[in-house]
Amino acid sequence: MARKTGSHSEITGPKIRAEAQRLFARHGFAAVSMRQIAGAVGVQAGALYLYTPDKEALLFDLLKTHMDELIAAWHAEPGGGDAHARLERFVRFHIRFNLERAEAVFLSYMELRNLSPENFAVIEGLRKTYETELEAILKAGQDEGVFLIPDTKLATMAIIAMLTGVNTWFREGGRLSRATVADIYWDMVRKSVGA
Amino acid sequence: MARKTGSHSEITGPKIRAEAQRLFARHGFAAVSMRQIAGAVGVQAGALYLYTPDKEALLFDLLKTHMDELIAAWHAEPGGGDAHARLERFVRFHIRFNLERAEAVFLSYMELRNLSPENFAVIEGLRKTYETELEAILKAGQDEGVFLIPDTKLATMAIIAMLTGVNTWFREGGRLSRATVADIYWDMVRKSVGA
DNA sequence: ACGCTAACTGAACGGGCGTTCATTATCAAA
DNA sequence: TTTGATAATGAACGCCCGTTCAGTTAGCGT
């Protein structure tokens, strides 16, 4: 046996990334072997190296793609309005997007330390970019006089941590719907910035 | 060479736990070998098994001890007062305690999945116990009419996530002192529950 | 000074790791 | 139908893993 019938790189490539994401999120990067990933995909371990130079590059690809898509999705949201409206959109967007991609979010928080310093810096830069989007809203609200925030940098970190925390406990079909959760979190965020 | 000069289990035992915590926090449980831990302690790998039945038990011991100490430390805090005062004490306690033990906190959030189901349940139970302490305060404030919270369970998770988030960015000697950070977070928490 | 016990070594066990590569089967264009 | 490119195999490489254990030395009560 060598090449399989019906095999195509446009199928195997995404399949590898999907299975790697699933397994990394479930067991952790270091605890998952290339052979496990290959097994989940349905190929031998050697075949993975047609799609990635090494294991770390596979992780980096997942994290980078996620961060790029996060930022792109936020930019695709409707802009404009006052700081109050923009903050509400950010809160609802963040919760929605992160719940839709729980595995990728989990990965990008847990597995950063498995990246080389250069790759780590890239992801950190993208995260900073995203955080700056929220901080800009808070600053604008502060200038407009609709928010009362002692420190916008701190408020940024506090709000993001609070929102991202939803991923740790939310379960589909639980007591509350996504919409209700978003409503309540928005209520808390709104009040916390004094609006 | 066999037994080393000046060797005592009361010294080696804690040293192993300390080095394991440091290494697990830095590189992740799965990425750290027993030989690395032994090397950091200054013994051979086999010696570790005089102090732990296996690698996972070492991790569990660290997590369990941390959670026990967290809960004990909270119970040692002065009680009494109205919900407003108790919430402030909780916020300041959580930030202070977690910053004091950053490595243990990091571990107990990141490495839970490396525990067996039984051990996982134990740590989860202790976490739940701690969270319930906060929830009781929020409920009391709700009943007293000093808080305005749509859902106390959600508010509990939101506040804990927000507070624990401090650990991800706070650096000693940075722009803000611990005390200032605690002040600002308390301000945001207070407002978010409508007090 | 002796003997018991506690503390540790160092080698070994079987197994899994990430990665490479010669080889082979399939696909798609000519 | 031939042919070159593509997608995969499967064996092998050297290395490190968690764990065990017989043997050895240091500490210490008697």
Side-chain angles (χ1 to χ4, degrees):
Chain A
M1 255 203 291
R3 180 169 185 172
K4 297 183 158 181
T5 67
S7 68
H8 285 285
S9 61
E10 308 95 65
I11 294 173
T12 306
K15 217 166 162 184
I16 288 173
R17 285 185 284 275
E19 294 296 341
Q21 179 162 103
R22 196 178 60 84
L23 289 167
F24 287 164
R26 194 157 303 181
H27 308 292
F29 175 77
V32 173
S33 71
M34 294 299 264
R35 283 170 180 83
Q36 276 177 64
I37 298 169
V41 172
V43 295
Q44 293 299 315
L48 300 183
Y49 291 84
L50 294 168
Y51 300 90
T52 184
D54 52 47
K55 195 186 176 191
E56 195 215 303
L58 184 51
L59 174 63
F60 177 68
D61 181 54
L62 293 172
L63 299 192
K64 173 83 163 55
T65 300
H66 172 66
M67 292 308 294
D68 285 342
E69 288 178 356
L70 170 67
I71 291 166
W74 169 244
H75 283 147
E77 288 278 309
D82 60 2
H84 191 271
R86 284 161 64 206
L87 181 58
E88 177 170 3
R89 276 203 301 273
F90 185 91
V91 168
R92 294 186 186 279
F93 165 80
H94 188 93
I95 292 176
R96 173 168 42 79
F97 192 88
N98 279 13
L99 282 182
E100 268 167 14
R101 314 197 178 199
E103 276 177 357
V105 172
F106 194 75
L107 262 194
S108 74
Y109 271 87
M110 303 286 263
E111 305 297 351
L112 271 178
R113 60 182 161 187
N114 291 297
L115 261 27
S116 70
E118 306 85 53
N119 285 345
F120 177 83
V122 172
I123 303 298
E124 274 291 292
L126 291 171
R127 171 163 307 175
K128 189 80 205 142
T129 298
Y130 181 67
E131 288 169 0
T132 304
E133 296 283 327
L134 172 57
E135 200 192 344
I137 296 174
L138 297 180
K139 270 185 188 151
Q142 182 83 317
D143 293 345
E144 292 173 19
V146 301
F147 296 161
L148 209 81
I149 306 171
D151 188 288
T152 53
K153 276 203 194 307
L154 239 76
T156 300
M157 300 311 286
I159 291 171
I160 288 196
M162 179 170 150
L163 297 179
T164 306
V166 173
N167 276 52
T168 65
W169 59 263
F170 184 84
R171 293 294 168 265
E172 212 63 54
R175 189 166 59 86
L176 302 167
S177 70
R178 294 187 185 205
T180 307
V181 170
D183 287 344
I184 295 174
Y185 270 76
W186 162 234
D187 178 66
M188 291 187 72
V189 168
R190 184 180 51 77
K191 289 193 285 191
S192 74
V193 297
Chain B
M1 252 200 295
R3 180 168 187 171
K4 296 184 158 181
T5 66
S7 69
H8 285 286
S9 61
E10 310 95 65
I11 295 173
T12 306
K15 217 167 163 185
I16 287 172
R17 285 185 286 275
E19 293 295 341
Q21 179 162 103
R22 196 177 60 85
L23 289 167
F24 287 163
R26 193 157 304 180
H27 308 290
F29 174 77
V32 173
S33 71
M34 294 300 265
R35 283 171 180 84
Q36 276 176 65
I37 298 169
V41 172
V43 296
Q44 293 300 311
L48 301 183
Y49 290 85
L50 294 168
Y51 299 91
T52 183
D54 52 48
K55 195 186 175 192
E56 196 216 301
L58 184 50
L59 174 63
F60 177 67
D61 180 54
L62 294 172
L63 300 192
K64 172 86 164 53
T65 300
H66 171 67
M67 292 309 294
D68 285 343
E69 288 177 356
L70 170 68
I71 291 167
W74 168 243
H75 283 147
E77 288 279 308
D82 60 2
H84 191 271
R86 284 161 64 206
L87 181 58
E88 177 170 3
R89 276 203 299 272
F90 185 91
V91 168
R92 295 187 185 279
F93 165 79
H94 188 92
I95 291 176
R96 173 168 42 80
F97 192 87
N98 279 12
L99 282 182
E100 269 168 13
R101 314 197 178 198
E103 276 177 355
V105 172
F106 194 75
L107 262 193
S108 75
Y109 271 85
M110 304 284 266
E111 305 297 351
L112 270 178
R113 59 182 161 186
N114 292 297
L115 260 29
S116 70
E118 307 83 56
N119 285 345
F120 177 84
V122 171
I123 303 298
E124 274 292 291
L126 291 171
R127 172 163 306 175
K128 189 79 203 141
T129 298
Y130 181 66
E131 288 169 0
T132 304
E133 296 282 329
L134 172 57
E135 202 192 342
I137 296 174
L138 297 181
K139 270 186 188 152
Q142 182 82 316
D143 293 345
E144 293 173 19
V146 301
F147 296 161
L148 208 80
I149 306 170
D151 189 289
T152 52
K153 277 204 194 307
L154 239 75
T156 301
M157 300 311 286
I159 291 172
I160 288 198
M162 180 171 150
L163 297 180
T164 306
V166 173
N167 277 52
T168 66
W169 59 263
F170 184 84
R171 293 295 167 265
E172 212 63 54
R175 188 166 59 86
L176 302 167
S177 71
R178 294 187 185 207
T180 308
V181 170
D183 287 344
I184 294 174
Y185 270 76
W186 162 233
D187 179 64
M188 292 188 71
V189 168
R190 184 180 50 75
K191 289 193 286 189
S192 74
V193 297

